[in-house]
Amino acid sequence: MERRERTHRLIELGGLIQKSGLADAVGDDRATLYGALLSLAETLSPADRQATLALWRRRGQRAFAAEQDAKASLTAQPAVTP
């Protein structure tokens, strides 16, 4: 069961990298992706770690909300008939 949960978590994390556009931006180059993520992790200095995480969280929440709104507006539109 733990292995299944771990696998699900890893798939979700990979999906977020794809959803962010980063994978396409670097041509799916794993070394480049890994380097980018390492650079990002280095920006989390102890002095401003919480503020940076809060900023990232808000940005992610807004992006998820915008995506949900876009999906909802597509399903709410009446079908166009010829």
Side-chain angles (χ1 to χ4, degrees):
M1 190 66 169
E2 285 182 27
R3 194 169 81 180
R4 179 178 287 165
E5 289 174 7
R6 180 180 180 274
T7 299
H8 181 72
R9 181 175 167 263
L10 292 174
I11 290 168
E12 284 181 330
L13 293 172
L16 290 173
I17 290 173
Q18 184 66 41
K19 182 180 278 216
S20 74
L22 187 58
D24 290 336
V26 301
D28 289 335
D29 183 327
R30 291 179 181 168
T32 301
L33 282 170
Y34 188 40
L37 293 170
L38 290 171
S39 294
L40 188 59
E42 288 173 1
T43 67
L44 290 175
S45 67
D48 63 350
R49 178 182 172 86
Q50 293 307 316
T52 301
L53 291 174
L55 175 69
W56 291 350
R57 183 174 291 114
R58 283 192 307 269
R59 186 171 184 187
Q61 288 171 334
R62 284 192 304 265
F64 279 136
E67 182 180 296
Q68 289 294 84
D69 290 346
K71 284 181 184 177
S73 69
L74 286 177
T75 59
Q77 292 179 357
V80 177
T81 56

